[in-house]
Amino acid sequence: MAEQRQKIEDLTKQVDALDKRIEAKSGDDAALVEIRSQLEAVDKSLLESGVAFRPRLTEINSRIGQLGSAPAEGQPPEPEMVANERRALTTEKAEINVVLGKAEDLSVRVNGQLNKVAGLRRDLFTNMLTKRYELSSALDGEVGHAVQWEFSRLYNSVSSWLRFVVQFKYRAVVAATFFALLAAAVLQFGGRRLFGRLINRDPVLEAPSYLSRLSVAFWSTLLPTLAMGVFLAGTVALYNYFNVLRGDIGLLIGGVFFVLFVAFFVNRLSHAALSPDMSNWRLIPIESRAARLLVWLITATAVVVGLDYFMGLVSETLSSPLSVTIVKSLIASLVVGVLLVLIGVVRPFADENGASRPWPAALRYFLYGIGIATIVSALLGYVSLAQFVSQQIVITGAMLATAYIGFLSSRAISEEGSFAETPIGGWLKSRFDMEETTLDQLGLVVSAAINILIVMVFLPLVLLQWGFKPADMAAWLSKLATGFRIGTFSFSPLALVTGAVVFVLGYFITRWFQGWLDGSVMARGKVDAGVRNSIRTVIGYAGIALAALIGISSAGIDLSSLALVAGGLSLGIGFGLQNVVSNFVSGLILLAERPFKAGDWIVAGAVSGTVKKISVRATEIETFQRQTVILPNSELINGAVGNWTHRNKLGRIEIPVGVAYGSDVKRVHEVLLDIARSHPLVLKNPEPFVLFAAFGESSLNFEMRMFLSDIGNGSIVQNEIRFAILEAFEKENIQIPFVRREVTMKAIPQLTEWPVDDEKAEAEYLEQLSAKAAAKQKQPASRRRKPDPA
């Protein structure tokens, strides 16, 4: 208790000091980032203090619950020892709550300061972009003298440093430059050695694939740029290590290296995408002359932006007047705006007749708009805004373009059959004899790895370019690691990834152990195939379950919190998952009791076949017609199952035979017994037996009973013995009767006249009626009877 109180008091003093620093450094973005990091550390310490009391509070609450409620008025008093313990626990709990309350109040205060720092940083960024300078006062007659004074001081600083280097640090500079260049050369030439076909364009190839063009454009930009970055960063690091750089020169050298890096990066990217020398490797179908012009314009834009940044460092290092900085940024912004407009003016495409065509309207107007907006912003005095837009157009645009090419190449690699056509895929196929399906799956893995690489490399660079600090990204990573809370559950993305990785590792270790145990231990021990399958299945499920539990724990998920899930699952079982659970339990019983195993010939109801696989839900049976039947395990547990090969494959077959009455039955018995004994697959012990089974209606019925060591050969043996019976009976003149049936045909008398009820009689009757009606119509009118008046 005393330790936590002192800790909270110290944290309170630290928060008070940081509060004062916020007020003093409200205009310094870097100082605000540092203050925010310290506040986050304080907040983390407060959280640890709260967690430290949690076990003791749990113990106190549990003990108070065991003691029960204090006796009410009028009831017998409780023992003094119990009352003293209750008072002590209650007092301690109250003290802990007081300390936790102070920690919570301080945490609220810290969060308020963090929000204040975030607001100050937003205001600084907004003020920087919206600040307007009076160009008339900046472009007065004293600007020329200020510029001349700045260059004079720059020349003096650089020349004095060079004299110092030549006199005292010459060998250190040479050694540092050599080792930095060596590191860059190793990266460059090693990359070419490993990924040569992904970097170099083949001039002989007339029509390279889209994937090849994307890969060459991406890697020919990324690897040389990384080598250049290693050289420049290594040079600065070694110069600092050998104490070659002083403060101001270090900033200037860093600015020069930044200009070189930006210009090199943008030039490599534009050259890789537009390929002015080899039109067949071009990502955009433009004319070669336009491609060369665009490469020059884009590189010039990058150089101007880099020089603007360098000149800003010079002014900051030498404490130059503000008017000098404004003039240099104004000129750079105007030049960048003009270059952007010129890029939009270029007509890179050609129609069917060879006439040049401009960019698509949307892109062309976008370039015009950005260029004109940059020029207008600079002329109106919003120099910082124009400078910021220029830098983002060039640097952020180059980064995003490179990342986009990488994403396109990653997507192309993930398409079916694409990875096999790459140089690496072809080498893997020839070297390890991989199948197309395996190469496609490997292509998906490579695609995911490229995407992760692009995000890890370019996302921090883009964030840094947009004004975020390394401390900001460190804070985000810390939040990813510590996680966030939703209700009573805590989630950490990093922990979730760790849990997933642990589960995957556990899964592959389980599969490896299964293969080793089955292929090495049990195979050498001549263990039965069915036993091996059962052991392998049980180990597989147990290993995956163990890997899942370890993965869940590594992900930071409390297993006790899964009680709610278990309750919901039990409710689901009660309503609709009875069959699933029944099959699951039945599968465990089958694997444990082993009434049959893989390879056994079983009969379950109407299904007869060989067991191929026993899973926890169903059993796979292959019939003799090569049909696969998936039978739920509960049916095999609850129903009768016949197993022909339960303990061994020994089995008996029967062949019924009928002979004609009058045959020598003893000779028939001898012949059949000789045939059974002479077959090589029929066992001598138990010996075969021929039974005189019955007197049939038209035959004397015998039955051959033979035992085989492998009942699976029963059909073969029965077939061969039936052929042997026919041959032997033919030699012995023994007849096999068959049922004779006689068919008698009765003579049907011919009909001489139609039956009375036939249709012919009906037709004749109708004809007679029609004739009478016609005769009536022909009679004279006088003879016709008058109609009845009634």
Side-chain angles (χ1 to χ4, degrees), residues 767-781:
E767 289 179 0
Q768 293 175 2
L769 292 178
S770 300
K772 290 180 179 179
K776 270 188 179 182
Q777 293 293 333
K778 292 181 180 180
Q779 288 179 2

Side-chain angles (χ1 to χ4, degrees), residues 259-277:
V259 175
L260 294 176
F261 180 80
V262 169
F264 181 81
F265 172 45
V266 174
N267 179 265
R268 291 301 307 172
L269 174 62
S270 59
H271 198 277
L274 301 179
S275 185
D277 301 330

Side-chain angles (χ1 to χ4, degrees), residues 425-451:
W427 179 79
L428 290 174
K429 184 177 181 180
S430 60
R431 179 70 174 81
F432 300 101
D433 194 21
M434 288 187 176
E435 298 180 353
E436 296 291 337
T437 304
T438 305
L439 288 174
D440 283 339
Q441 295 174 348
L442 190 59
L444 293 175
V445 175
V446 172
S447 175
I450 292 176
N451 290 332

Side-chain angles (χ1 to χ4, degrees), residues 213-267:
R213 288 181 287 152
L214 285 172
S215 299
V216 168
F218 178 70
W219 293 106
S220 64
T221 300
L222 186 61
L223 286 178
T225 304
L226 287 178
M228 186 69 172
V230 167
F231 169 69
L232 298 176
T235 301
V236 172
L238 291 175
Y239 281 2
N240 287 323
Y241 178 78
F242 290 115
N243 296 322
V244 174
L245 301 176
R246 62 175 189 248
D248 56 343
I249 296 299
L251 292 175
L252 297 177
I253 291 292
V256 172
F257 285 178
F258 176 79
V259 175
L260 294 176
F261 180 80
V262 169
F264 181 81
F265 172 45
V266 174
N267 179 265

Side-chain angles (χ1 to χ4, degrees), residues 724-744:
I725 290 173
L726 288 177
E727 293 177 359
F729 280 8
E730 186 177 356
K731 291 180 181 179
E732 298 290 337
N733 292 323
I734 299 174
Q735 300 293 325
I736 297 178
F738 57 89
V739 179
R740 289 185 174 88
R741 293 183 176 83
E742 294 183 359
V743 180
T744 304

Side-chain angles (χ1 to χ4, degrees), residues 639-749:
V641 178
N643 191 345
W644 285 93
T645 57
H646 179 46
R647 302 190 184 280
N648 51 54
K649 295 184 178 181
L650 179 67
R652 193 185 78 177
I653 60 174
E654 296 86 15
I655 301 178
V657 180
V659 298
Y661 277 95
S663 302
D664 188 352
V665 293
K666 292 186 177 180
R667 182 58 185 162
V668 171
H669 182 273
E670 293 175 359
V671 170
L672 294 178
L673 197 58
D674 289 340
I675 293 174
R677 289 172 176 172
S678 62
H679 197 282
L681 295 181
V682 175
L683 294 179
K684 302 299 186 291
N685 185 22
E687 64 176 350
F689 178 73
V690 177
L691 175 67
F692 191 171
F695 296 95
E697 293 182 359
S698 59
S699 64
L700 302 172
N701 298 332
F702 290 81
E703 186 175 84
M704 302 175 66
R705 298 177 179 177
M706 297 155 286
F707 287 89
L708 307 178
S709 60
D710 187 355
I711 192 64
N713 297 324
S715 299
I716 299 174
V717 174
Q718 288 175 330
N719 188 55
E720 293 176 353
I721 285 181
R722 288 190 179 101
F723 278 113
I725 290 173
L726 288 177
E727 293 177 359
F729 280 8
E730 186 177 356
K731 291 180 181 179
E732 298 290 337
N733 292 323
I734 299 174
Q735 300 293 325
I736 297 178
F738 57 89
V739 179
R740 289 185 174 88
R741 293 183 176 83
E742 294 183 359
V743 180
T744 304
M745 303 294 293
K746 288 184 67 177
I748 300 175

Side-chain angles (χ1 to χ4, degrees), residues 8-24 35 38-39 42 105-106 109-110 113 116:
I8 292 175
E9 290 178 1
D10 294 339
L11 292 175
T12 303
K13 295 178 182 179
Q14 186 177 353
V15 171
D16 293 337
L18 290 174
D19 199 4
K20 295 178 181 179
R21 284 194 62 195
I22 291 174
E23 298 296 334
I35 292 171
Q38 296 176 4
L39 288 172
V42 171
D105 293 340
L106 188 58
R109 183 182 172 190
V110 168
Q113 290 180 339
K116 184 178 180 180

